[in-house]
Amino acid sequence: MRLPEILSRIAPLAVLIPLAACSTTGQPPLVPMIPTFAPVRPPVDSALAEPCISAAATKYFLSESNIKAVEAEPIGGGVNQVRLKADLRDAMCTVTDKGKVRSVVDTMPKSADQAAADEAAARKATDPSATPAEPEPAKKTKKTSG
């Protein structure tokens, strides 16, 4: 079945119509954009964020550039909680108004690897002589023919 002659001439143009709607001139698009809403969080005070970030960097063995303070909230008595994003982990830091860090606690469950590493570190801290000994290299012996 063949298309009528007029449709065979118009069909290639119909394919190009969506491309004509695209423009690189910086003009607003013809289709209205749907706005997305993200919660607006006030920035975390640097007097609270900096001590928490450095404490988390020490705890997780990360550089401070990999850790950011997401939000802070006062819990009373001059104590604040600062929510941290440390690489892939989420953590909660408790810090005083004067910048003294009380604790940095994970708020995500630990993986099996993290639990095993923490257990090994705890054993090493309680008994430093319990470090695993390296196997001694096998001594080579010369066979004498005789």
Side-chain angles (χ1 to χ4, degrees):
M1 179 173 160
R2 262 187 90 169
L3 291 174
E5 186 175 332
I6 187 111
L7 287 179
S8 63
R9 290 184 184 180
I10 295 175
L13 293 175
V15 172
L16 297 176
I17 290 174
L19 292 177
C22 298
S23 173
T24 58
T25 61
Q27 305 239 344
L30 298 175
V31 179
M33 301 299 272
I34 299 173
T36 58
F37 298 101
V40 177
R41 295 181 181 153
V44 178
D45 184 20
S46 63
L48 300 175
E50 288 175 10
C52 284
I53 289 173
S54 64
T58 303
K59 178 176 181 173
Y60 298 126
F61 304 105
L62 294 171
S63 68
E64 291 184 5
S65 63
N66 292 341
I67 302 170
K68 66 179 181 176
V70 179
E71 64 181 338
E73 61 184 66
I75 56 175
V79 179
N80 301 286
Q81 284 187 338
V82 178
R83 186 173 311 278
L84 301 172
K85 186 71 174 168
D87 201 19
L88 298 176
R89 297 181 181 104
D90 289 330
M92 184 67 72
C93 174
T94 306
V95 63
T96 64
D97 286 337
K98 295 180 182 178
K100 182 179 177 187
V101 176
R102 290 188 173 179
S103 66
V104 177
V105 180
D106 286 330
T107 56
M108 292 179 61
K110 292 183 181 180
S111 68
D113 292 339
Q114 288 174 329
D118 287 347
E119 182 180 318
R123 275 195 309 255
K124 185 176 179 181
T126 57
D127 188 12
S129 65
T131 58
E134 293 182 20
E136 294 182 17
K139 294 182 179 180
K140 294 183 179 178
T141 57
K142 288 187 177 179
K143 291 187 178 182
T144 56
S145 54

